[in-house]
Each structure stands twice: as structure tokens, then as C-alpha cells.
Amino acid sequence: MVPKIVQFLILLYLFTVTFAFNEEEIALLKWKATFKNQTNSLLASWTQSSNACMDWYGVMCLNGRVSKLDIQGAHVIGTLYDFPFSTLPFLEYVDLSVNNLSGTIPPEISNLTNLVYLDLHTNMISGTIPFQIGSLANLQNINIYDNLLNGFIPASLSNLTNLSILSLYQNNLYGSIPTEIGYLRSLTSLDLGTNSLNGSIPISLGNLTNLSSLFLNGNHISGFIPALLGNLTSLSILYLQENNLSGSTPEEIGYLRSLSQLVLAKNSLSGVIPASLGNLAKNSLSYLDFSTNFLSGSIPTSLGNLNVLYLLSLC
Ligand SMILES: *[C@@H]1O[C@H](CO)[C@@H](O)[C@H](O)[C@H]1NC(C)=O
Ligand SMILES: *[C@@H]1O[C@H](CO)[C@@H](O)[C@H](O)[C@H]1NC(C)=O
Ligand SMILES: *[C@@H]1O[C@H](CO)[C@@H](O)[C@H](O)[C@H]1NC(C)=O
Ligand SMILES: *[C@@H]1O[C@H](CO)[C@@H](O)[C@H](O)[C@H]1NC(C)=O
Ligand SMILES: *[C@@H]1O[C@H](CO)[C@@H](O)[C@H](O)[C@H]1NC(C)=O
Ligand SMILES: *[C@@H]1O[C@H](CO)[C@@H](O)[C@H](O)[C@H]1NC(C)=O
Ligand SMILES: *[C@@H]1O[C@H](CO)[C@@H](O)[C@H](O)[C@H]1NC(C)=O
Ligand SMILES: *[C@@H]1O[C@H](CO)[C@@H](O)[C@H](O)[C@H]1NC(C)=O
Ligand SMILES: *[C@@H]1O[C@H](CO)[C@@H](O)[C@H](O)[C@H]1NC(C)=O
Ligand SMILES: *[C@@H]1O[C@H](CO)[C@@H](O)[C@H](O)[C@H]1NC(C)=O
């Protein structure tokens, strides 16, 4: 015989879970009601008479609470203004990419305290990246590339010590790259390409020893290439083309044993091609592009060691 108090607690628990869940379902339906495309066949399963956890397109639950929302390419035309940030505290994975979301990212995104994965790429999102994103300490992946974002990259991102991928390319971000990015030691991929960033490359990037790709191409970055980039021993792809980098290419770049693609084209680089490139990047370097710079001197004979090179552009 189960004691009455236990029966009561079980009922209370079930009621609370059901109620909380209904609240999540209703909140998502409210957001859906703001979409411009109401004849959206993919989201037709989102109805009050169905069970969101079991029947809704793109929704997954954990313990009866919405934990994953993946509606990539679902033809959504809308904004994030009515997204139920405060009602979905158990969301870990959000993929709203390849839709037509416009407007800004509300600061309430910080309410998604369990968020690990945030993907908003290929939408029409404008405005600045809210600094409140820096409080989402569990984030491992931020993809907001291919939008209309502007303003500065918030230094608060440096709080995200588990962040592995930060992809902000193809926006209109400006100002300089925050030095604090150097605190993101879990980063494996940093892509800030095709924006309007200026200033110089922070030497703190030399701390990101797990970085395997670094894309800073297509900005207005000036100054020297920091020799400390030679400390990025995991680096496989380094794209710095189409900036206004000057000075000579540091010998240390040739210490990057995993380097496969080095593209420094269309800058104001001078001096010689470091001979170290030929000696230390053997068996990996396949793409080497120094074109459209102000280089001098001769081509180092060591480049002959690059046995897997298939593109070499120097003029
Ligand atoms: C609305 O959604 C449907 C089905 O998902 C899609 O075929 C259609 O192109 C969308 N309409 C617009 C204007 O995007
Ligand atoms: C996005 O939706 C707006 C309407 O809100 C429309 O004017 C625009 O053409 C759409 N853009 C794309 C790329 O579908
Ligand atoms: C939600 O986010 C807003 C903006 O950052 C903040 O003011 C508010 O306190 C947050 N609410 C909760 C419940 O965390
Ligand atoms: C970053 O972390 C510090 C210390 O943990 C905290 O005081 C600060 O509010 C955080 N910044 C943001 C934007 O969350
Ligand atoms: C970062 O990841 C580690 C290992 O997965 C985990 O133990 C830690 O709690 C995470 N830190 C934050 C702030 O989420
Ligand atoms: C970089 O751009 C910002 C904003 O556009 C501007 O205020 C600043 O003066 C620029 N800095 C440099 C070094 O050009
Ligand atoms: C980079 O590492 C150096 C040496 O370990 C340290 O002094 C510096 O504060 C770090 N900078 C950042 C931005 O992490
Ligand atoms: C760097 O990568 C190694 C090997 O994958 C991993 O063990 C380590 O935890 C990573 N460091 C950080 C700070 O993420
Ligand atoms: C960079 O690497 C060199 C040589 O491996 C090392 O002496 C130096 O401390 C490293 N610098 C930083 C900031 O980690
Ligand atoms: C590039 O930098 C040089 C100085 O190093 C400067 O004279 C030149 O005007 C800059 N070019 C552009 C397009 O910003």
C-alpha cells in the first residue's frame, strides 16, 4: 500500500511536469503564430492537438521538456522577438539556420542557460551580437555566419571557455578582434572572414593551441602577422588574404607542422618568403598563396620539399 503522501507527491510531480510541458508547447505555438508563412508544410505538425515531444517536426525532449529544436531550412519567415526564451530553460540545441529570420537577436537569449549548440546561420538577422550571449557558459558551438549582423564582436564571448567553434563570417561586423578571444582555449575553428574588422591580429590568438582553422580573410585588418601564430601547432588552415597586413611573413609560420593551406594573398606584405615553410610543412602543405603582395628576394629552394603541394601562387 503506497502511503497517501507519496501518492500525492507523484500526482503533484506529474501535474507539474505536464503543466510545465504544456507551457512550452503553448509558447512555441505562440511563436509559430507570428510567422509570415502560415502555410508551412514542414511545421504543419505543430498543433495543439498533437504531442510536441512525439509528433512535432524538429522538436526533441528530454524528461518531458524540450531539449532540442532543429528547424533548419523549414521555410520560416519571422523574427526571434516572440521566441519563448524564458519558457524553454532545458533547450540545449537550437538550429534555426537557413530560414528567413530577420530582426535582431534578443538579449533574452541569455535565458537559455543550458544551451550547448546555437546555429542561426544563413538568415537575415541584423543588429549587434548581444553581449549577454557571454553568460551561456555551456556553449560549444556558435554559428551565426551569413547574416546581416553589425557592430563589435562582444568581448564577453571570452567567458565561453568550452566554445569549440565560433563562426561569424559573412556579416558586417566591425571594430577590432577582441584580445579576449585568446581566452577561448577550447576553440578549434575561428571564422571571422568577410566582415569589416580592422585593427591588428591580437597576439593573444597565439594561446589558442587547439585551433585547427583560422579564417580572418576579407576584412580591413592591418599591422604585422604575429610570430606567435607559430605556436598554433594544430593549425591546418590559415586564411589571412584580402586584408592590409604589412611587414614580412614570420619564419615561425613555417613551424606549423599540420599546416595544409596558407593563403596570404592580397595584402601589403613585404620581405621574403620564409625558407622555413619548405622545411617544416612537408607532407601537409598543399595550398600556398602569396599572390598580390610586395614580396622580394628569390623563391626559397626549400619549397621543393613540399611534396604534396598542388597550388603555389607567388605573383
Ligand atoms: C512557405 O512554406 C512552403 C512549405 O514549406 C514553401 O514551399 C514556400 O516556398 C514558403 N513560402 C515562402 C514565401 O517562403
Ligand atoms: C524574407 O522575408 C521577407 C518578408 O518578411 C521578404 O521580403 C524577403 O524577400 C525574404 N527573403 C528571402 C531571401 O527569402
Ligand atoms: C532573461 O534575459 C533577460 C535579458 O538578458 C534578463 O533581464 C532576465 O533577467 C532573464 N530572465 C531570466 C529568468 O533569466
Ligand atoms: C563573464 O563571467 C564573469 C565571471 O564569471 C561574470 O562576472 C560576467 O558577468 C560574465 N559576463 C557575461 C557577459 O556573462
Ligand atoms: C566545460 O566542459 C567540461 C567537460 O565537458 C565540463 O566538465 C564543464 O562543466 C564545462 N564548463 C562549463 C562552464 O560548461
Ligand atoms: C576601426 O573601426 C572602428 C569602427 O568603425 C573605428 O572607430 C576605428 O577608428 C577603426 N580603427 C582603426 C585602427 O582603423
Ligand atoms: C595568453 O597566454 C599568456 C601566457 O600564458 C598569458 O600571459 C596571457 O594572459 C594569455 N592571454 C589571453 C588573452 O589568454
Ligand atoms: C585541446 O585538445 C586536446 C586533444 O583533443 C584536449 O585533450 C584538450 O582538452 C583540449 N584543450 C582545451 C582547452 O579544450
Ligand atoms: C610559444 O611557443 C614558444 C616555443 O614553443 C614558447 O617558448 C612560448 O612560451 C609560447 N608562447 C606562448 C604565449 O604560449
Ligand atoms: C594599408 O596600410 C598601409 C600602411 O601599412 C597604408 O599606407 C595604406 O593606406 C593601407 N591601405 C588600405 C587600403 O587601407
Side-chain angles (χ1 to χ4, degrees), residues 152 174-176 196-200 220 222:
F152 299 131
Y174 52 75
S176 54
S196 300
L197 299 169
N198 66 5
S200 52
H220 309 301
S222 55

Side-chain angles (χ1 to χ4, degrees), residues 132-153:
Q132 290 88 348
I133 273 190
S135 66
L136 298 175
N138 296 304
L139 271 177
Q140 293 175 8
N141 207 314
I142 298 181
N143 288 323
I144 322 186
Y145 61 86
D146 194 13
N147 275 289
L148 304 167
L149 293 170
N150 56 38
F152 299 131
I153 297 173

Side-chain angles (χ1 to χ4, degrees), residues 136-140 159-162 186:
L136 298 175
N138 296 304
L139 271 177
Q140 293 175 8
N159 271 15
L160 306 177
T161 49
N162 278 359
S186 301

Side-chain angles (χ1 to χ4, degrees), residues 13 149 159 174 232 234 236 241:
Y13 172 79
L149 293 170
N159 271 15
Y174 52 75
L232 302 180
S234 308
S236 153
Q241 72 270 26

Side-chain angles (χ1 to χ4, degrees), residues 37 63 75 93 100 102 135 143 174 200 242 295 297 304 313:
N37 190 351
N63 302 322
H75 306 283
Y93 185 105
N100 185 346
S102 53
S135 66
N143 288 323
Y174 52 75
S200 52
E242 295 178 57
L295 302 181
S313 183

Side-chain angles (χ1 to χ4, degrees), residues 36 77 100 124:
K36 285 224 173 90
I77 306 173
N100 185 346
M124 312 278 276

